Amino acid sequence: MNIKNQAMLITYADSLGSDLKELKKVLTDHLQGVVGGVHLLPFFPSTGDRGFAPSDYRVVDPVFGTWEEIEALGEEYYLMFDFMINHISRESEYFQDFKTHHESSPYKEMFIQVHEFFPEGRPTQADIDLIYKRKDKAPFQELVFEDGEKTLVWNTFGEEQIDLDVTKAVTKQFIRDTLKDMAKHGCSLIRLDAFAYAIKKLDTNDFFVEPEIWELLEEVRDEAAKYEIQLLPEIHEHYSIQMKIADHDYFIYDFALPMLTLHALYSGRSDRLAKWLALSPMKQFTTLDTHDGIGVVDARDLLTQEELDYTSEKLYEVGANVKKVYSSASYNNLDIYQINSTYYSALGDDDASYLLARAIQCFAPGIPQIYYVGLLAGKNDIQLLETTKEGRNINRHYYSLAEIAEETERPVVKALFDLLRFRNTSPAFDLAGEIQVKTPSPSELVIVRTGKEGIQAVLNADLAAKTFTISENGNRVF
C-alpha cells in the first residue's frame, strides 16, 4: 500500500492489547479514521532493547502473532517496519556461526573485529575518545570463540547488539534479503534505525561519515525501490543533518518539534517555534513522542543553550512525575540527550496544553506520527518504571483492552481523535500545498495550510492562554 497523508500510529505489537490480534481489534473498534498508518515497532524475535536486538527478520515472534496478522493490517493501513541496519543480536545465527566456526564461518566478515579495523598498536585512548558514542566506554565487546581464541567486536549500543560491517559483500546480501522479505509482507516504509552509526572509518568519529553514509543510503534506497518501499532514516542529532537528508529527497523525522513545542508552551513565546515551522520540509514525519525519550540535542541552535536549559528544567518543574533520576544511569538510560516522560505528563497532565500541542503538530509540515501512549493521553507509568528500573519504560505502558475502552471515553482523547480525523480528511493538508506561519503577538501563533485545490485550514493559537481555534474555509471546526 502506498503511504497515505494520514496520521501514523506508533506502537509495539503488545502495547495496545496483548498481541497483534488484539491490536487489530483496537484499530477496528476505536481508531477508525483516527490513523491511516501503523509503525509496528520491532516484532521479530529479539534478545534485548524491547525488540531492537533482532535475531531473525524472517519470522514474527510467536508471542505477538503471525505474518498473516501483519499482512491483514497492511490491507487497511500503510505499514512501517524497523530495520536495524547498524546491528543484529549476538544470538542471531550469523553471529553464533562466527562464534562457533571462527575463521571458517561464511559470516565472519559481517562483524567488525577491532584488531582488523585499527592498525597495530591502536586503538589508543585518543581513538576511543574520538568515537561518537552514547555510553561512557569503548563500544567494543569481547568474543570468545569455541576454539578458545578471543577478539573484540564492535557494539555501539547494548551488549546484545553486535554491529554489522555494511561494507562487506555478505552483509550487503543480508540487507538485500531482508528488504525483499519485508516487502513480501506488506511493508510500505522502512525505518533505518541507527543508520548514522553504520559506517566506521579510521580517524573519524564513526558517526554520519560522509560521503560513505550517502553511498550506503543510496544502495539501500535503490534496492527498496524495486519493491516500491520508501525509507525513513532515523537519526537524533543536530537539525542540520536532517536537512541534509531531506536535500537528498528522503523522508525525515522532525525530532526538533517536541522540545520547540514544549518551549513555546512553557514560555508562552511563539517566535522560536514559528521560525522552525516555516523552515521545515513537507516530506517528513512529525513527532511529539516516540518509544524513546524527548530529544534535547535535536533542537540545539533552534533554541539557544539557555532556552534548552530553561525548557529542560521546566519539564522537571511542570511535568507530572518527571524526575532527573529517571533519565540517568540509575535507570539504565542509554542516551544522555533524552528526557524520559510521556508528552502528556511533560505538560503537567493538562488537557488544554496537550490538545494545543497536538493541534500544532497536525498543522506542522509533514505527516503526524502519534505514539500509542500519546494517542491515549497517557500519564507517566511509575509502577512499570520502578518494577523494571528502565527509564524509558515510564512511557511504555501496556494497555489492556478494558483500559483502552475506558481511556477512549476521556474528553481529551475524544477531542484528539476528532482533531486527527479532521487532519486526515481535510484537503488543506495536501503535502504539495502551502504553509504560512504568522506571529501577530509574542504569544500568538497562526498557521495557515492551503491545499492545491484552494481549501484552507487555519490554526489560531494563544500559547500563553493555552487556547486555540481551527477553521476551514472560514468555518470554525474546533
Side-chain angles (χ1 to χ4, degrees), residues 75-127:
E75 292 174 5
E76 295 183 51
Y77 304 91
Y78 69 99
L79 300 181
M80 180 158 74
F81 299 165
D82 285 280
F83 182 24
M84 278 54 80
I85 197 166
N86 177 71
H87 54 259
I88 198 165
S89 170
R90 66 178 175 184
E91 296 303 319
S92 67
E93 67 177 71
Y94 313 104
F95 192 67
Q96 287 300 305
D97 189 278
F98 178 45
K99 180 180 179 181
T100 301
H101 299 111
H102 197 176
E103 289 297 322
S104 61
S105 171
Y107 306 115
K108 68 175 182 177
E109 290 193 331
M110 283 186 76
F111 308 102
I112 305 168
Q113 296 187 68
V114 174
H115 78 274
E116 292 181 350
F117 181 84
F118 289 99
E120 190 174 349
R122 295 172 63 183
T124 63
Q125 189 59 49
D127 289 323

Side-chain angles (χ1 to χ4, degrees), residues 351-466:
D351 290 359
S353 296
Y354 188 67
L355 285 174
L356 176 49
R358 290 299 179 187
I360 291 167
Q361 183 187 11
C362 284
F363 272 76
I367 302 173
Q369 285 189 334
I370 315 291
Y371 183 58
Y372 76 97
V373 177
L375 191 64
L376 297 176
K379 299 180 180 182
N380 282 335
D381 189 336
I382 303 301
Q383 183 177 348
L384 181 62
L385 171 82
E386 294 295 356
T387 301
T388 61
K389 295 298 181 182
E390 289 285 341
R392 289 178 294 180
N393 281 349
I394 199 170
N395 190 28
R396 296 179 177 180
H397 182 71
Y398 293 86
Y399 287 94
S400 67
L401 294 181
E403 267 186 294
I404 294 164
E406 186 177 335
E407 292 298 302
T408 52
E409 291 302 313
R410 291 166 57 203
V412 64
V413 176
K414 285 187 170 184
L416 176 56
F417 285 7
D418 287 342
L419 177 63
L420 290 170
R421 288 189 179 104
F422 169 70
R423 165 60 183 78
N424 290 341
T425 55
S426 172
F429 297 96
D430 190 327
L431 296 182
E434 297 178 352
I435 182 169
Q436 291 178 288
V437 185
K438 308 170 187 175
T439 53
S441 76
S443 69
E444 289 179 284
L445 178 69
V446 177
I447 308 175
V448 182
R449 293 289 301 267
T450 307
K452 285 188 301 183
E453 300 171 5
I455 304 295
Q456 194 169 82
V458 181
L459 170 68
N460 280 282
D462 188 317
L463 297 165
K466 312 296 186 287

Side-chain angles (χ1 to χ4, degrees), residues 159-393:
E159 295 301 305
E160 291 293 332
Q161 295 151 304
I162 308 299
D163 286 30
L164 297 168
D165 188 341
V166 296
T167 68
K168 295 296 195 294
V170 63
T171 314
K172 290 177 185 289
Q173 186 60 51
F174 163 74
I175 291 171
R176 288 193 292 270
D177 291 344
T178 301
L179 294 173
K180 183 178 181 180
D181 202 58
M182 287 184 173
K184 186 171 66 178
H185 299 296
C187 176
S188 305
L189 192 65
I190 289 177
R191 188 180 100 123
L192 292 181
D193 182 75
F195 87 97
Y197 297 89
I199 297 293
K200 279 80 172 175
K201 187 177 180 180
L202 195 64
D203 298 322
T204 74
N205 69 353
D206 304 302
F207 182 83
F208 203 81
V209 177
E210 301 178 276
E212 289 84 354
I213 195 69
W214 299 116
E215 294 164 7
L216 172 63
L217 281 175
E218 286 301 312
E219 285 181 21
V220 179
R221 175 156 65 180
D222 289 347
E223 193 65 27
K226 295 176 182 178
Y227 312 107
E228 299 183 329
I229 290 176
Q230 297 210 49
L231 303 181
L232 178 57
E234 182 267 349
I235 183 171
H236 279 284
E237 240 306 321
H238 196 270
Y239 76 95
S240 60
I241 296 183
Q242 301 282 17
M243 292 303 201
K244 281 186 180 183
I245 298 168
D247 287 343
H248 283 73
D249 198 32
Y250 293 91
F251 272 101
I252 62 167
Y253 275 112
D254 185 353
F255 285 142
L257 188 63
M259 278 295 276
L260 284 161
T261 302
L262 288 179
H263 173 265
L265 290 169
Y266 292 158
S267 68
R269 283 174 48 195
S270 59
D271 55 340
R272 300 300 194 201
L273 175 60
K275 184 177 179 181
W276 174 240
L277 292 172
L279 285 174
S280 297
M282 279 290 182
K283 192 172 181 178
Q284 66 173 1
F285 285 89
T286 64
T287 65
L288 292 182
D289 45 4
T290 69
H291 63 285
D292 287 330
I294 297 169
V296 177
V297 68
D298 308 89
R300 194 175 67 226
D301 294 332
L302 297 171
L303 295 172
T304 65
Q305 189 57 52
E306 183 180 8
E307 289 163 344
L308 279 173
D309 292 343
Y310 162 83
T311 307
S312 298
E313 290 302 318
K314 271 291 186 182
L315 208 163
Y316 294 117
E317 178 186 324
V318 174
N321 291 312
V322 184
K323 298 179 181 178
K324 290 184 180 181
V325 69
Y326 298 156
S327 299
S328 72
S330 301
Y331 285 80
N332 294 303
N333 196 55
L334 180 66
D335 191 339
I336 60 173
Y337 302 111
Q338 295 185 352
I339 298 174
N340 293 320
S341 174
T342 74
Y343 212 77
Y344 184 67
S345 287
L347 290 167
D349 296 344
D350 180 69
D351 290 359
S353 296
Y354 188 67
L355 285 174
L356 176 49
R358 290 299 179 187
I360 291 167
Q361 183 187 11
C362 284
F363 272 76
I367 302 173
Q369 285 189 334
I370 315 291
Y371 183 58
Y372 76 97
V373 177
L375 191 64
L376 297 176
K379 299 180 180 182
N380 282 335
D381 189 336
I382 303 301
Q383 183 177 348
L384 181 62
L385 171 82
E386 294 295 356
T387 301
T388 61
K389 295 298 181 182
E390 289 285 341
R392 289 178 294 180
N393 281 349

